[in-house]
Amino acid sequence: MTTGALAGQAASSTVERLLDAAAGAFADRGFHATTTRDIASRAGLSPAGVYVHFDSKEAVLYALSRRGHEAALDLVRGSATGPGTPTERVARVMSGFATWHAEHYEVARVVQYEFPHLQPEHRDEVLTLRKDIDEAVRELLEEGVASGEFEVTDVRETALALMSLCIDVARWYSPGVRRTPDRIGPTYASLGLRLLGARA
Amino acid sequence: MTTGALAGQAASSTVERLLDAAAGAFADRGFHATTTRDIASRAGLSPAGVYVHFDSKEAVLYALSRRGHEAALDLVRGSATGPGTPTERVARVMSGFATWHAEHYEVARVVQYEFPHLQPEHRDEVLTLRKDIDEAVRELLEEGVASGEFEVTDVRETALALMSLCIDVARWYSPGVRRTPDRIGPTYASLGLRLLGARA
DNA sequence: GTCTATACCTTGATAGAC
DNA sequence: GTCTATCAAGGTATAGAC
């Protein structure tokens, strides 16, 4: 299911199993507390088996983080530039992005919290994806301000606030918590519209 | 200055220096990536020097996390139950809490992100402080709803959203970033009032 | 492509002198 | 209370057989 979160590849090649295993382990205990033995055993391999497919533990993190960011960018961009009024699109962005952080909370945690542990060059690569996400949101807000649907004093601050709401879902969500992914969508769409001074 | 963030003790006893050192190291690289040697050398001690004052690396994390949570609780409770209308008090809570996450972003990161790495008993202890913070905010929102100042459909969800906005500051803030702590306060007060449908 | 075995290093923590 | 020296455990990564 993590696989689905990332791209929708043919499931359970060994690489896919390793990435799923790493997502679970990194989300559970963090990058540095996770051992290559953890990853290997979760994927049903011996400790050495990891190194056939990845050069290092950090290479696993990079692959996972990159895919996660790409999935997030696709999701946000798709909703932000799709059909409908800016109001409708913001609602879709907030609903989809918040829900994604819950449904795929393992990958989402890796994306949000393990980012600082990437090697500098890998961090730079991923950073451009992050900037693309922010930009997609800012552009959508500009549209809504131009059309008169949104009442926003500072687009940059407001875009960050919208993202903060969704991103923080990855911190508090886990299966078994009171809130469910399908209720999170409408809630966060509504919160977003409030921040924009828009009528639902 | 981290010291000031925590309680306002007489500065630079060895324990204080160790906690400051640990805050910097944990915030920079995370609990597990930080070595006891890192902490010791930042505090100007030999590797063994740490163990005169703390039983283990986790004990350092616990002391730091506990103090940080206590400072956060004092801040929120003080603003939430102080003088003024619910609207004024929410503005003060948001301004103060968001600013705290920037000004003391090292301790704040430890509070928000290293919490899962506490031992179970220590996690439970700290969890009660977290619940107290949430409850203080929820009670304030109930007051504002009762007085007719806030227009909120779900107090629980809205309280979480307010906290999410402030907490996420610790993720993106660092010195040198565009936004400054003194501008963050008014911005987040205003965002909070919007979420509550209140007039500034 | 996977395994077993292992090299090499860093880590958390302790012992014992001062 | 701080140091130097050190240990035991566990970490990443590799070698070489199958």
Side-chain angles (χ1 to χ4, degrees):
Chain A
M1 75 115 260
T2 298
T3 299
L6 295 172
Q9 320 263 328
S12 29
S13 75
T14 306
V15 167
E16 300 304 318
R17 274 188 299 120
L18 277 168
L19 289 174
D20 277 2
F26 291 161
D28 255 31
R29 337 206 321 101
F31 174 70
H32 278 103
T34 297
T35 67
T36 53
R37 286 169 168 85
D38 287 340
I39 299 170
S41 79
R42 282 191 191 225
L45 289 179
S46 73
V50 176
Y51 293 90
V52 176
H53 305 280
F54 294 96
D55 288 340
S56 67
K57 190 173 79 161
E58 195 272 346
V60 181
L61 175 62
Y62 174 55
L64 194 53
S65 181
R66 197 182 146 86
R67 284 192 182 203
H69 277 87
E70 284 167 352
L73 175 57
D74 287 351
L75 185 71
V76 169
R77 213 178 240 165
S79 300
T81 62
T85 63
T87 299
E88 288 165 348
R89 280 180 275 152
V90 157
R92 228 179 297 131
V93 167
M94 289 297 288
S95 173
F97 203 45
T99 304
W100 184 81
H101 277 84
E103 276 179 344
H104 306 297
Y105 77 103
E106 293 184 338
V107 176
R109 281 187 192 172
V110 174
V111 163
Q112 303 302 348
Y113 300 138
E114 307 306 326
F115 172 75
H117 301 125
L118 289 167
Q119 288 180 0
E121 319 89 68
H122 293 162
R123 208 157 48 215
D124 288 349
E125 279 255 359
V126 168
L127 192 58
T128 66
L129 295 169
R130 294 189 155 209
K131 287 183 177 159
D132 289 347
I133 294 173
D134 288 345
E135 203 186 334
V137 174
R138 281 201 304 271
E139 282 174 6
L140 174 54
L141 295 201
E142 302 279 15
E143 266 194 80
V145 168
S147 78
E149 290 168 57
F150 303 157
E151 190 190 307
V152 168
T153 49
D154 187 322
V155 165
R156 220 178 179 97
E157 300 298 329
T158 307
L160 174 58
L162 293 176
M163 293 292 94
S164 286
L165 287 174
C166 297
I167 286 170
D168 199 53
V169 172
R171 184 183 58 90
W172 57 257
Y173 178 83
S174 72
V177 101
R178 181 202 323 266
R179 297 162 178 93
T180 56
D182 58 294
R183 286 209 39 214
I184 287 170
T187 300
Y188 279 73
S190 158
L191 289 169
L193 294 181
R194 279 191 165 229
L195 275 184
L196 296 170
R199 348 221 142 279
Chain B
M1 74 115 262
T2 297
T3 299
L6 294 172
Q9 320 263 328
S12 33
S13 76
T14 306
V15 167
E16 300 305 319
R17 272 189 299 121
L18 277 168
L19 289 174
D20 277 0
F26 291 161
D28 256 31
R29 338 206 320 103
F31 175 70
H32 277 104
T34 297
T35 68
T36 54
R37 287 167 172 81
D38 287 339
I39 298 170
S41 78
R42 282 190 192 227
L45 289 179
S46 72
V50 176
Y51 292 91
V52 176
H53 306 279
F54 294 95
D55 288 341
S56 66
K57 189 173 78 161
E58 194 274 344
V60 181
L61 175 62
Y62 174 54
L64 194 53
S65 181
R66 197 182 145 87
R67 284 192 182 203
H69 278 88
E70 284 166 352
L73 175 57
D74 287 350
L75 185 72
V76 169
R77 214 178 239 165
S79 301
T81 64
T85 63
T87 299
E88 289 164 347
R89 281 181 276 152
V90 158
R92 227 178 299 131
V93 167
M94 289 298 287
S95 173
F97 204 45
T99 303
W100 185 81
H101 276 84
E103 276 180 343
H104 307 296
Y105 78 102
E106 292 183 339
V107 175
R109 281 186 193 172
V110 173
V111 163
Q112 304 302 347
Y113 301 137
E114 307 308 325
F115 172 75
H117 301 126
L118 289 167
Q119 287 180 1
E121 320 90 67
H122 293 161
R123 208 156 48 214
D124 289 348
E125 280 255 359
V126 168
L127 192 58
T128 67
L129 296 170
R130 294 188 157 211
K131 287 183 176 159
D132 289 346
I133 294 173
D134 289 345
E135 202 186 335
V137 174
R138 282 199 303 272
E139 282 175 6
L140 175 54
L141 295 201
E142 302 278 16
E143 265 193 81
V145 169
S147 77
E149 291 169 56
F150 303 159
E151 191 190 308
V152 168
T153 49
D154 187 323
V155 165
R156 224 181 176 95
E157 300 296 331
T158 308
L160 174 58
L162 293 176
M163 293 292 94
S164 286
L165 286 175
C166 297
I167 287 170
D168 199 53
V169 172
R171 184 183 59 89
W172 56 256
Y173 178 83
S174 73
V177 100
R178 181 201 324 266
R179 296 162 179 92
T180 56
D182 58 293
R183 285 209 40 210
I184 287 170
T187 300
Y188 278 74
S190 158
L191 289 169
L193 294 181
R194 279 189 166 230
L195 273 183
L196 296 169
R199 351 219 140 279

